[in-house]
Amino acid sequence: MHVLLIEDRAGDARLVAEALAECAPQLALHWSCDLGDGLAQLAQAPVDVVLLDLSLPDSEGLATFRAVQAAAPRRPIVILSGCGDDELALAAVQEGAQDFLPKCDLSGSLLSRVLHYAIERKRAAEQILTLNIELETRVRERTRDLIEANRELEAFAYTVAHDLRRPLRAMDGFSDLLIKDAADRLSAPQRDYLERIRRACDQMSRLIDALLELTRLPYVPLRQVPLDLGALGQEILDELARRTPDRHVERRLAENLATIGDAALVRIVLENLLSNAWKFTRCRQCARIMVGSYYDLGEEVFFVRDNGAGFDMTYADKLFAPFERLHRESDFEGLGVGLATVQRVVKRHGGRVWAEGAVDEGATFYFTLAPPPQTPTGGAAGLPPATEIAPHGYLAQNHPAG
Amino acid sequence: MDISHKTILLAEDDPNDEELFRQAIAQANINCRVEVARDGEELMRYLFGTADQRRVEPGADIDLVLLDLKMPKLNGLQVLTVMHNAHGAGHEHAPPIVVFTSSDAEQDVSTAYDLGAVSYVAKPVTHGRFVETVQQLVIYWLGVNRRAPRRRQRGASWASTTS
Ligand SMILES: Nc1ncnc2c1ncn2[C@@H]1O[C@H](COP(=O)(O)OP(=O)(O)O)[C@@H](O)[C@H]1O
Ligand SMILES: [Mg+2]
């Protein structure tokens, strides 16, 4: 290991040499007696650590340190300070010197330890620096990849919209024209085949719409406003009832399901959950759908519960993946994108969604619409009523000042 | 409705969509003329004339352009850009352009309006809704809507504009 000592006083230099020879004979000492020579040595000789006196014939004070640091930014520098010069030495440490040693009590063991530590510390610092640079490069690369992927996704969605809808329109259009033109010449099965083509077209068209909606969701800006999930749920259930007047479903909606969220997006959540509940209770004489909320660890959790066909909990996490279904198309029709959409919307709000159910015993879908609250104690002592937990803007809306 | 003296320019490269369009207006006994441009270049020739017989007024004999955005060569947005610039250059009487296309991407919608499209209609996939949409579009733009009267010259006299 090579130590470069830059020190103008021969007496001090000898002290250092003696201390080193005694305690760390493995250290090779090179001596420069002014800054000019020191910098020249740094440029040529292998140097592991610099031992630097700040007051030299050709340079004085912090300027000395800065000159050496600029010439060898990756080399550890230890200041050799005159007695009573601690303040100056500390200033150098603040600017990046590894340590300082007062000349007046130089012992071999101290010197050796300080030099070794200085080298190790500098090495560690360098490593962190390299790692940081690497990390930054990687983050930049990832960001670029991500932007690229997003752009591809947009291009894909565009293609889906244009190129897949077009042939579909032709299939549906010409089968419909054929049914109308040749109505009296078609046998019942022939007619049925054409009707099947049209139904398939309709399904694919809805599939494309849903897929597009799904790819768009992460990009639509959120507009958070106060919402009443009870009223919204009521509205959606009324519409479902209107569309299937033969169904009798008992509905229980909790009062005061106030929250904040994006009106259009939260409506999508409730529409999907409620139309699922409506659909999967079809097999029930006494169908029941419940919408409510409860507090858990200071967090409001909403739920939609039904007593319908239920599902096997083994596959509970599959439900939220696009196109995953746990029921047969012949039993319950569907595309399998509803819950994937629900999950995306809920995540956009910072919330979570999960499900519980059992085959033939109904299902419950839970969701939150905000990130979980930070609870430093981890406890949820004394659950506050809903209005107290609601954010400020919301309260102001409901109870105008005055 | 008798709009036999009116002309629609359908910018459409898909023969299926063209046929479905013709069927849709025939069903409602709409008897206007339908010209078809199968790509952006052909559309430009309809609107501006060929190189050796430039038109003074782009699309003077056309009452409505139905524009598909996705066309070979020049796409719909490019055509809109050219028309937009021509309009700025004093061609006030260019025909209204209605975008009638498969995509309803928000970006397309706003760009189209920025470039002077008067309306943006997404082509429905389901045949029933397609027919309905085409009929309403054509009846509105050719039968119901009135365009600003044509001015002979810029700054024409009061008497000549009201005659
Ligand atoms: N209320 C429910 N009861 C039982 N199973 C459900 C319920 N909601 C959703 N599922 C299951 O989750 C699957 C995915 O739901 P979803 O994404 O909405 O698609 P779809 O309703 O089109 O089938 C459904 O096919 C069904 O297997
Ligand atoms: Mg569903």
Side-chain angles (χ1 to χ4, degrees):
Chain A
M1 208 160 72
H2 300 270
V3 181
L4 174 63
L5 172 64
I6 308 180
E7 163 66 80
D8 56 334
R9 283 187 223 169
D12 289 348
R14 191 169 335 108
L15 266 177
V16 170
E18 276 166 11
L20 277 184
E22 178 193 328
C23 255
Q26 77 278 16
L27 296 183
L29 186 67
H30 308 267
W31 178 34
S32 296
C33 56
D34 60 32
L35 181 64
D37 184 60
L39 295 182
Q41 291 259 15
L42 263 178
Q44 303 160 5
V47 172
D48 295 298
V49 56
V50 180
L51 202 50
L52 181 65
D53 179 13
L54 290 178
S55 77
L56 297 172
D58 50 349
S59 175
E60 184 61 43
L62 273 182
T64 314
F65 169 73
R66 288 178 188 146
V68 175
Q69 195 188 35
R74 317 191 59 149
R75 246 39 91 68
I77 302 169
V78 173
I79 306 298
L80 205 53
S81 65
C83 299
D85 266 355
D86 286 6
E87 235 164 83
L88 183 63
L90 268 175
V93 169
Q94 269 165 8
E95 292 198 11
Q98 287 299 325
D99 207 342
F100 71 94
L101 274 168
K103 283 178 192 172
C104 38
D105 72 280
L106 263 189
S107 80
S109 62
L110 179 64
L111 186 57
S112 148
R113 202 176 67 225
V114 165
L115 291 179
H116 275 107
Y117 278 4
I119 292 172
E120 284 314 313
R121 262 202 310 270
K122 185 72 180 177
R123 192 174 296 156
E126 286 286 313
Q127 221 159 41
I128 290 175
L129 213 68
T130 331
L131 283 178
N132 269 340
I133 292 173
E134 263 175 39
L135 200 67
E136 264 171 39
T137 329
R138 221 173 306 159
V139 167
R140 255 199 305 276
E141 275 168 11
R142 287 284 144 81
T143 313
R144 207 182 42 225
D145 288 353
L146 227 93
I147 291 173
E148 183 63 24
N150 274 350
R151 205 169 292 143
E152 269 169 28
L153 198 69
E154 272 166 34
F156 169 73
Y158 194 84
T159 304
V160 168
H162 246 112
D163 297 356
L164 295 189
R165 278 174 177 160
R166 213 204 269 250
L168 217 47
R169 182 163 48 245
M171 286 182 233
D172 191 56
F174 292 114
S175 351
D176 193 28
L177 287 173
L178 189 56
I179 291 173
K180 288 190 178 119
D181 281 6
D184 43 350
R185 274 163 288 155
L186 289 177
S187 68
Q190 284 168 342
R191 220 191 133 81
D192 179 50
Y193 295 157
L194 286 168
E195 296 290 359
R196 279 174 197 246
I197 293 177
R198 296 205 63 203
R199 275 200 298 276
C201 287
D202 182 54
Q203 189 183 12
M204 181 149 172
S205 159
R206 283 185 296 120
L207 208 56
I208 291 171
D209 291 347
L211 198 63
L212 271 178
E213 199 53 51
L214 210 58
T215 56
R216 256 177 221 169
L217 261 185
Y219 305 105
V220 296
L222 273 194
R223 286 192 46 234
Q224 309 245 39
V225 294
L227 296 172
D228 180 358
L229 295 194
L232 194 57
Q234 187 69 56
E235 211 179 288
I236 294 166
L237 285 169
D238 284 348
E239 171 62 20
L240 286 166
R242 206 185 51 74
R243 270 191 269 159
T244 42
D246 49 320
R247 291 280 312 272
H248 293 285
V249 178
E250 183 191 334
R251 307 176 222 166
R252 288 194 210 159
L253 290 115
E255 311 255 303
N256 191 24
L257 286 179
T259 183
I260 49 173
D262 184 289
L265 292 183
V266 171
R267 174 181 278 273
I268 293 178
V269 168
L270 279 185
E271 266 171 5
N272 275 299
L273 295 181
L274 288 172
S275 63
N276 280 349
W278 195 268
K279 176 164 65 181
F280 290 102
T281 49
R282 195 160 55 202
C283 47
R284 289 283 177 268
Q285 281 292 7
C286 308
R288 197 169 54 239
I289 297 177
M290 222 171 118
V291 182
S293 78
Y294 62 92
Y295 279 98
D296 183 34
L297 301 178
E299 180 179 34
E300 187 165 27
V301 177
F302 300 97
F303 63 85
V304 173
R305 174 170 297 152
D306 67 65
N307 65 341
F311 61 86
D312 183 347
M313 271 302 270
T314 325
Y315 306 109
D317 49 342
K318 263 191 153 188
L319 292 179
F320 297 97
F323 306 115
E324 287 286 357
R325 311 193 63 227
L326 299 185
H327 293 86
R328 291 188 207 141
E329 173 75 18
S330 52
D331 295 337
F332 295 100
E333 71 294 339
L335 302 170
V337 283
L339 290 180
T341 310
V342 166
Q343 189 176 47
R344 291 213 171 183
V345 170
V346 164
K347 277 192 182 164
R348 280 287 269 124
H349 285 80
R352 298 166 289 139
V353 58
W354 65 100
E356 272 171 22
V359 172
D360 238 15
E361 286 174 29
T364 309
F365 287 81
Y366 302 91
F367 64 97
T368 64
L369 284 173
Q374 303 289 329
T375 46
T377 53
L383 293 180
T387 43
E388 270 184 45
I389 222 171
H392 246 59
Y394 171 60
L395 279 182
Q397 284 265 356
N398 261 357
H399 310 284
Chain B
M1 177 172 298
D2 183 26
I3 43 175
S4 53
H5 55 291
K6 304 251 169 140
T7 303
I8 291 181
L9 176 51
L10 182 65
E12 174 64 72
D13 68 310
D14 183 349
N16 288 331
D17 275 356
E18 181 197 334
E19 178 60 21
L20 290 174
F21 178 85
R22 289 184 187 279
Q23 289 291 338
I25 57 173
Q27 263 181 42
N29 296 321
I30 297 169
N31 53 5
C32 60
R33 283 197 325 138
V34 177
E35 298 281 341
V36 179
R38 292 214 159 65
D39 62 47
E41 269 182 16
E42 211 173 303
L43 175 59
M44 298 300 277
R45 278 198 295 280
Y46 267 109
L47 293 173
F48 290 92
T50 50
D52 45 301
Q53 43 127 128
R54 288 246 164 266
R55 289 205 176 147
V56 187
E57 281 187 272
D61 45 357
I62 285 160
D63 299 286
L64 175 67
V65 179
L66 285 181
L67 180 66
D68 189 4
L69 289 188
K70 194 161 185 186
M71 284 187 301
K73 299 182 185 171
L74 288 178
N75 68 33
L77 291 179
Q78 288 171 314
V79 172
L80 276 175
T81 309
V82 175
M83 286 304 282
H84 188 59
N85 295 339
H87 193 269
H91 300 294
E92 268 83 7
H93 209 75
I97 301 182
V98 170
V99 175
F100 190 48
T101 193
S102 292
S103 143
D104 52 0
E106 213 150 289
Q107 185 58 47
D108 284 346
V109 180
S110 55
T111 311
Y113 277 115
D114 287 346
L115 291 173
V118 296
S119 179
Y120 190 114
V121 180
K123 281 183 199 165
V125 169
T126 316
H127 188 234
R129 292 212 298 115
F130 178 84
V131 169
E132 218 172 88
T133 305
V134 164
Q135 292 172 351
Q136 284 175 356
L137 254 182
V138 173
I139 289 173
Y140 174 76
W141 283 103
L142 296 189
V144 178
N145 182 58
R146 279 206 61 181
R147 293 174 61 188
R150 180 175 308 209
R151 276 171 253 204
R152 287 275 136 68
Q153 289 150 359
R154 306 251 278 148
S157 74
W158 179 82
S160 69
T161 48
T162 48
S163 62

